[in-house]
Amino acid sequence: MKLSKLLQEVEVLRSQVEGDPEIGEVRYDSRAVQPGDLFVAIRGFATDGHKYIASALENGAAAVVCEQAAPDVPAVLVPDSRRALAQLGIDRFGHPADQLTMVGVTGTNGKTTTTYLIKHILESQGAKVGLIGTNQNLIGEEMVPTERTTPESYELQSLLRRMVDAGCTHCVMEVSSHSLALDRVYGIEFAVGVFTNLTQDHLDFHHTMEEYRKAKAILFTIADQGVLNMDDPASEKMLLDATCPIQTFSAKSDAADLTAKDIRLHADHVDFVAAAEEGIARVHLGIPGQFSVENALAALGACRALGVPLDVAAAALKTAHGVKGRVEVVPTGTDYTVLIDYAHSPDGVENVLRAVRGFTKGRVIALFGCGGDRDKTKRPKMGAIAARLADFCIVTSDNPRTEQPEAIIDDIVAGMQDSKTPKEVIVNRPEAIRFALDMAKAGDTIVLMGKGHETYQEINHVKHHLDEREIVAEYFAQKA
């Protein structure tokens, strides 16, 4: 494709490129540049792509899209190279989002489960649905590996194109605060945006909770309709920032547009009555915990906004299953329970431990750590919450990344000093899991928190295989 055609809808300040070169591919990683490619220099969280313009040219880039460049560089100057990258993807792949009904879900917790529930409801109505999120990307039932919750804009447009070509009618995606702040979803109009909740996370990037909230609020300026959790304190400000019509849901108040009544929590499911202006519907969802009620309401609200009748959507939830790594039961054949959950924020830890406490007859054994190179202020908070809600805590390593695991654990343990809850520190995570299994008794529940769907441990930029399901299975195989 000619450079001029690629740039047709991109805001250009000035071009220093001679002629109109044929472009092979668009790249934003200089290491991936091949001769004839277009390199887009974007400013990232960790580094600035403008530093690698010379490297991209050495690799054969035909031209560069950037915000600043020396006069002798074959560059196209733009006011915002991140938005330029998004627009290049939109044009290169033929505006795929315009051919899909786009549903976006944002929030600290509950995004993954909510997107799966929405997908399940829509598919029960005959739709073919693509899904983009933390666990995996799906084109119908075809799995596409994922590196981050929301892909970079160019990959996102490529993925949407694949969905359209495969016959998808809808795309349901997790929309992270990073993706909204960094324009990864720039140029996409969502039919419905959903807000689940806001609790402390990602302050290493956003710095303050208000910045974090404002990033999420962007979704409700690019959506045709919004669905908000009225039970979350942040919803009041989200409503003020929204530029689209809003529907609310609540598991506590009758003032919302969609409410949950007669809530009954069980060890392996929840039952409640969903009530809206048009009537009521009984809901049965095979995922335990109060947060499952909220996730179900979010999914029902989104589908209701898309025109699916409440009773039809509620009936579909009866056959919905849990999501890998979200309150996932690991088969053990024992008289105690082992759960895996992705909880990696203070609120996430509190939610899952409260849910487990509600059905555990014996002890709640909490095993967890915190990720390195991320918000350090949440570490003692997570420690304090686990010590308050569990009967025994095992503090271990999560994804230490470039930090020392022992230093991360020290931060966690600092929040547990005032608690009398017994604890054990075991840095090696597989050893920590085996320790938990050794100490478990009848009626106990072991909750392995933090890894969830992940099957690796990231240490110094290298991902080492670590699947908690395999560790549990190997433990029992050895005992047998």
Side-chain angles (χ1 to χ4, degrees), residues 162-194:
R162 289 177 62 183
M163 290 180 182
V164 172
D165 291 346
C168 290
T169 55
H170 296 68
C171 172
V172 184
M173 64 181 291
E174 296 180 47
V175 185
S176 67
S177 57
H178 289 73
S179 73
L180 289 158
L182 298 174
D183 284 322
R184 290 182 194 150
V185 292
Y186 175 77
I188 295 176
E189 182 179 347
F190 290 88
V192 180
V194 181

Side-chain angles (χ1 to χ4, degrees), residues 372-392:
D373 302 334
R374 298 295 186 268
D375 178 11
K376 294 183 179 183
T377 66
K378 69 180 183 181
R379 295 172 185 173
K381 294 178 182 178
M382 288 170 62
I385 291 167
R388 173 163 50 87
L389 295 176
D391 298 298
F392 195 97

